[in-house]
Amino acid sequence: MLLRVRVTLPDRPGTLGQVARTLGVSGADIVQVVVLERLGGRAVDDFTVVWPGAARVERLLAGLAAIAGVKVDGVWRAIGAPTTTGQDAELLAQVAANPTDGVATLVDAVPGLLAADWAVAAVVPLDWASRSGGAGQATVGHASWRAPEPPRLPEVTPLRARSMTTADGDHYAVAPFGRAGLVLVVARDRSEPLAAAAFHSTEVDRLAQLVRASAVILGDRLDLVGAPPVTSVT
């Protein structure tokens, strides 16, 4: 199976090589490495690896924990092949080519781009601020194929892109479209024995850029998401 492994490590020569060797000795085949952050002498790296299904992940975690200064932020199952920002442009081209299904296309594709489990386009009522617990009143306009029924939505508001983690350990990244109270919500579910990492700020920024670009492409079509169907009168 394909796994995403996120580690925080000292940003010094040799440490990345130690992590890569440990992954290999543990049985992981590295297919992609992405540097999410380098700051204050520390780095945050995402490794996408092919992991033998019969092997125990505990062996991998123990090996990484033995490297001085290395902290495992999360290990979770990834969906599909490793992704790059070049695929963002391809996704936006698909949205532009078929704007009628543009939001649904975006919702279906984003989980694979961000190594997430599912996504929904949620509609927050325009009067959410005046409601008691109003953020929880969001309704689902579109849901990806792996979304639970009904989706477990956090308290979202149509204000700004951000990440959040609920009390039960599920991770979310949310980004507003800037109109019609529409917000894209992407989720990484808590699962045992694997534990996903929270969405990094670079992932939230990537999501926000996709949403903003899609909003420009789709324009007034966003107002139709979540609207009741129009029935003809005979």
Side-chain angles (χ1 to χ4, degrees), residues 87-97 106 209-211 213-214 217:
Q87 289 168 290
D88 296 3
E90 175 61 27
L91 172 57
L92 293 173
Q94 294 174 12
V95 171
L106 184 67
Q209 290 169 9
L210 281 169
V211 168
S214 297
I217 294 170

Side-chain angles (χ1 to χ4, degrees), residues 44-175:
V44 180
D45 292 352
D46 266 2
F47 294 82
T48 302
V49 303
V50 177
W51 183 252
R56 295 176 61 86
V57 176
E58 289 82 356
R59 178 187 178 190
L60 171 62
L61 298 178
L64 293 173
I67 305 174
V70 170
K71 175 180 176 291
V72 179
D73 296 327
V75 179
W76 68 102
R77 187 188 295 267
I79 302 173
T83 64
T84 64
T85 53
Q87 289 168 290
D88 296 3
E90 175 61 27
L91 172 57
L92 293 173
Q94 294 174 12
V95 171
N98 185 14
T100 300
D101 296 324
V103 173
T105 299
L106 184 67
V107 168
D108 281 337
V110 160
L113 296 180
L114 296 180
D117 292 302
W118 52 271
V120 299
V123 182
V124 180
L126 296 179
D127 61 345
W128 63 269
S130 63
R131 298 190 179 198
S132 176
Q137 302 294 325
T139 58
V140 174
H142 292 285
S144 66
W145 70 277
R146 295 189 65 191
E149 181 59 44
R152 302 180 301 277
L153 294 180
E155 291 191 351
V156 296
T157 57
L159 297 179
R160 61 183 176 85
R162 65 197 187 281
S163 63
M164 62 183 70
T165 299
T166 59
D168 56 8
D170 293 335
H171 302 298
Y172 297 90
V174 300

